[in-house]
Amino acid sequence: MDNDRKRQLKQSYKERRPEMGIISCCCQPTQDTFFAWAKDTQAMINSNRFQLFAGSHPNLLLQKLWDAHGQENFQITIFETLPYKEDCDQEDYTQDLQTLLEICLAHHPQAQKMLNRQ
């Protein structure tokens, strides 16, 4: 791959707008649900799956449920998305995502926070 193509790909990656929002991880047998905010929902889902498979998820209860019930009894999904503000040059949506997480938790009092490392 030539240098111009590499430069174009890097620039495209930097300019992309990944889907951001709230992800949900639900243990089907127990109905325990965990929410986390994410600036890139697909990356967060992949990261959580990897940590759970490796037995190293920072949320010990979630890891315990995963170990007891297995992958086939979990549903990890995008629960809510946060749209980008088109008429605004806002670059950091952290506060908006944290607020959205609190709203989701208020509407689902049985749910718990997953730990965010962003």
Side-chain angles (χ1 to χ4, degrees):
M1 187 181 311
D2 65 16
N3 287 339
D4 286 337
R5 179 69 179 143
K6 286 181 187 177
R7 194 175 359 252
Q8 287 173 342
L9 290 172
K10 285 180 184 178
Q11 188 63 31
S12 294
Y13 180 80
K14 288 178 182 178
E15 292 173 358
R16 74 184 179 97
R17 295 182 114 183
E19 183 177 59
M20 59 183 171
I22 305 300
I23 66 163
S24 167
C25 184
C26 181
C27 178
Q28 300 301 319
T30 65
Q31 292 301 303
D32 283 302
T33 303
F34 302 85
F35 290 143
W37 61 268
K39 292 180 182 178
D40 183 338
T41 55
Q42 289 302 319
M44 180 64 98
I45 287 171
N46 292 340
S47 174
N48 277 281
R49 277 198 178 116
F50 179 81
Q51 290 174 334
L52 289 164
F53 277 119
S56 63
H57 198 280
N59 186 309
L60 299 180
L61 175 57
L62 177 55
Q63 184 68 59
K64 182 179 174 182
L65 290 168
W66 180 274
D67 293 342
H69 299 286
Q71 169 193 356
E72 63 279 358
N73 288 305
F74 273 82
Q75 184 177 18
I76 303 175
T77 59
I78 299 168
F79 185 78
E80 186 81 36
T81 58
L82 181 68
Y84 287 90
K85 297 174 183 171
E86 295 301 326
D87 59 344
C88 179
D89 289 336
Q90 182 175 354
E91 290 184 25
D92 187 8
Y93 287 85
T94 302
Q95 190 63 41
D96 295 341
L97 289 164
Q98 290 171 342
T99 301
L100 182 58
L101 174 61
E102 294 304 322
I103 291 168
C104 290
L105 288 167
H107 284 102
H108 297 83
Q110 79 287 358
Q112 303 173 46
K113 282 185 185 179
M114 255 188 275
L115 301 175
N116 280 78
R117 291 184 173 180
Q118 294 186 20

